[in-house]
Amino acid sequence: MEERVDEVLRDGRAPGLHGLVVLRGGRTVLERYGKGEDFAWNESLGVVEFGRDTLHDLRSVTKSVTALVYGVALGKGLVPDPETPLLACFPEYADISGDKRNITIEHALTMTLGIEWDESAPYTTTANSEVAMEMAPDRYRYILERPVVEQPGTRWHYCGGASALIGHLIAKGAGTTLDAFARDTLLAPLGIDAAWNRGADGVPSSASGLRMAPRHLAALGQVMLEGGRGLVPAEWITRMLTPRVTLEDGTGYGYQWYLGDTWRAAFGNGGQRLYLVPDQDLVVAITAGEYNGDQNSAQTVMDAVMGW
C-alpha cells in the first residue's frame, strides 16, 4: 500500500492531495500530507502546508457526519424517528401546502424528498439551490416551500436542503446548536477538534460546513466500524448504512451515506472522502483541494490504497 501511494505522489498523479490517513484495525498504517491553496467555503486561505492538526473543509462529508449525530440525538430521545412526517416537526410553518404531508424525515435522510432542487450550478451563484438557501431570509421556509415535482421516496435527488432540515431537527431537539451538540456528545469524547462554517444567519451548516483534520475524520470512521463505541447507538449505524435507494451508477444510498459492494463512504466537493471497508477493517480519510473540479486526486489515491 505504502509503495503504491508513494509512487502516485512521486509521479504527480494526485496533485490536489492535501491529506491522507489510513487506519487498519484501529491503527494508523499510512499518513501523508501535501501543500496547496485551500478554501473555507469560497474564501481562499492561500497556500497551506498541511499537517496532522490542520483543519480542512469536509464539504458534503458534513452531511454524513450530521446523519451520524442524528443517531446520537435519537438514542437520547431528542429527535423523532425517521418515519415521522416531516412537516409535523415544523409547526411554525403550518401554512405550507398540504401536498407535502406525506414527506417523512426518512425522505430527507435518503434525499428522496421529491421537491424541486438543483445543485448543478457552481456553488458561487444563487442559481445553485444550496447557495439560494443560504441567502434566503429563512432557510427552512425556503426548503419546505420548494414545489413537489415527484412522489416522495421515488428517486434519489441530491439536496443539501435535506441535510439542513436534519441538522435543524437536531438543534431543536437538543436545545442548542448543531456544532455544540456534536462537540459535547461525540467529538470531544473522542478528542476530536472541529470547526463549522456558518451561514449569514450564524447557523452552522449541516450540509457542508464541517472542518476537521483527516486523522480525526478517520477516527470517526473507526468508531463506526466498532459499532459506535457507546457514543452512537450500534443499531443506528446499521440502520444508517442499510441501502434505501439505488443510484444511477448502481451503488446504494442509506441515510446520507453512499454504499458500495465492499465499502461505505462519505463524499465531499473537492475530493473530501471517508471510506469504510469493513471486510478489511480499513478506514481511509482523504482531503484534497480540487473544489468544483474533477476530483481525480482523491480517487487516484484511493485506488492506490486499495490496489484497485
Side-chain angles (χ1 to χ4, degrees), residues 18 38 50 54-58 210-213 272 287-288 291:
H18 288 168
D38 199 24
F50 296 94
T54 309
L55 299 185
H56 199 284
D57 267 18
L58 299 185
L210 189 57
R211 290 177 55 79
M212 189 182 291
Q272 323 320 316
T287 54
Y291 303 107

Side-chain angles (χ1 to χ4, degrees), residues 219-243:
L220 277 182
Q222 186 63 37
V223 166
M224 292 177 63
L225 284 188
E226 294 177 10
R229 209 181 293 168
L231 297 171
V232 185
E235 58 269 26
W236 176 257
I237 294 175
T238 299
R239 193 173 178 183
M240 187 173 61
L241 299 182
T242 297

